[in-house]
Amino acid sequence: MSTPTYSLNANIASTCTRRVLVCAAECGMSDRVKLVNHAFTDIKTPRWLEAQPFGQMPVLVEDKTGWTLFESRAIAKYIAAVSGNTQLMPLPTDAQTYGKFEQACSIENNDFDVSASAICNELVFKPGKGGTTDPGRVILEQENLEKKLASYEVILSRQRYLAGEQMTLADLFHLPYGTMVTEIGGTTSLTDGRLPNVTRWWKELSDLASWKAIQAERAAYLEAQKKK
Ligand SMILES: N[C@@H](CCC(=O)N[C@@H](CS)C(=O)NCC(=O)O)C(=O)O
C-alpha cells in the first residue's frame, strides 16, 4: 500500500494554517502534507462548507480517498499520530505522560489562545475587515493574558516545556498567535524577560528553524500578493 499524502486546503497567511504546518514539519511530515493556498472567499462556497460547515480554514484532505478533517489542533494531532512521533504527542497508553500532554493542550486553548487571539482580532483582523478596534476589549484581554502568563511562569519554572521535559504539540500550538500578538505590540510578556522562564521557553520555540521557514514563506506570499 502506498504511503498516504495530504493536501492542506488553507492559506499561509492564516494563523491556524501555520499551526498545522509547524506541527507537520516538527513531525517530519512536511513532504506528505502539501499546502494548497486558497483565497479567503473560497471558504464560504458550498463545496468548502461541505467539508468545513463553519466556513473556516484549514481543511486536511487525504489525496487518495478524499477523506477530510478540520480544526487545526485536531489536524496536527492526526498528523502526529500518522507520523508515529510519540514525543510530540504521547500515546494514551503512557497514561500519565498523555494526561500532562492533554493538560498542556487545554491550557493553550483555554488560557492562552482566548486572550491572544482576541487581541489580534481587535488590533488586526477587525480593522482589516473594515471594523473598529474596541480599546476596552484590548486592555481587558491584555490583562487576562498577563495573568495567564504569570501562571505559565510557575509551570515553566518547574519544567522545560508546558507538558513536562519534552517539547510537545501543545508548545508548538502557541506559535502563530504568540508570534502575532508579540509582533503587533499586543504583549511584551513573552519576550521582555520579566517572566524569565516564559521568555526562555518562548525564545526556544520561536527560534525553531521550521517556524522561521514558515514565517518566511508567509512573508514571501504576502509580498507576492501585494504585487498582484
Ligand atoms: N478552531 C478553528 C478555527 C479556524 C479559523 O478561525 N480559521 C480562520 C483562519 S486562521 C478562518 O478561516 N477565518 C475566516 C472566517 O472565520 O471567516 C481551527 O483551529 O481550525
Side-chain angles (χ1 to χ4, degrees):
M1 213 175 72
S2 64
T3 310
T5 58
Y6 303 88
S7 297
L8 187 67
N9 288 332
N11 188 297
I12 188 79
S14 111
T15 46
C16 304
T17 300
R18 281 176 282 133
R19 177 177 294 125
V20 173
L21 291 176
V22 72
C23 293
E26 288 299 311
C27 288
M29 289 283 286
S30 294
D31 54 340
R32 289 175 60 190
V33 179
K34 189 177 173 305
L35 173 65
V36 182
N37 279 316
H38 284 263
F40 277 82
T41 45
D42 287 357
I43 65 181
K44 306 300 176 195
T45 60
R47 187 149 177 251
W48 194 285
L49 290 167
E50 214 174 290
Q52 218 292 12
F54 299 93
Q56 294 177 321
M57 58 173 68
V59 176
L60 186 77
V61 184
E62 191 180 72
D63 293 326
K64 198 169 172 186
T65 63
W67 177 82
T68 63
L69 189 67
F70 65 88
E71 278 297 322
S72 59
R73 294 168 183 83
I75 297 171
K77 287 179 178 179
Y78 171 77
I79 291 169
V82 170
S83 79
N85 188 323
T86 57
Q87 184 218 293
L88 285 169
M89 189 176 73
L91 294 174
T93 45
D94 183 0
Q96 288 196 349
T97 310
Y98 178 74
K100 294 287 186 184
F101 166 69
E102 282 298 344
Q103 174 182 276
C105 289
S106 206
I107 292 169
E108 183 276 328
N109 209 343
N110 298 301
D111 294 311
F112 178 82
D113 186 79
V114 176
S115 297
S117 66
I119 297 167
C120 293
N121 187 44
E122 287 297 335
L123 294 176
V124 180
F125 304 137
K126 232 166 126 179
K129 289 182 203 156
T132 311
T133 298
D134 174 349
R137 178 84 199 275
V138 175
I139 290 168
L140 176 74
E141 295 300 349
Q142 283 175 323
E143 287 169 359
N144 286 341
L145 185 59
E146 192 69 31
K147 281 186 218 148
K148 300 294 184 183
L149 288 175
S151 301
Y152 270 56
E153 178 64 21
V154 174
I155 297 170
L156 293 167
S157 68
R158 297 178 184 148
Q159 58 196 42
R160 187 163 170 190
Y161 300 102
L162 209 49
E165 292 308 318
Q166 304 286 345
M167 182 188 291
T168 67
L169 295 184
D171 300 294
L172 299 175
F173 287 171
H174 292 76
L175 275 165
Y177 277 113
T179 301
M180 188 177 221
V181 76
T182 299
E183 277 177 359
I184 64 174
T187 186
T188 56
S189 300
L190 289 167
T191 50
D192 66 11
R194 276 183 302 120
L195 303 170
N197 289 288
V198 169
T199 300
R200 164 201 46 85
W201 168 79
W202 181 250
K203 178 158 174 38
E204 188 180 343
L205 283 178
S206 52
D207 277 351
L208 285 173
S210 59
W211 179 244
K212 288 190 166 170
I214 289 162
Q215 287 294 86
E217 191 180 335
R218 168 184 179 258
Y221 175 84
L222 293 176
E223 202 49 45
Q225 290 299 108
K226 264 198 241 160
K227 288 185 187 143
K228 276 191 179 168

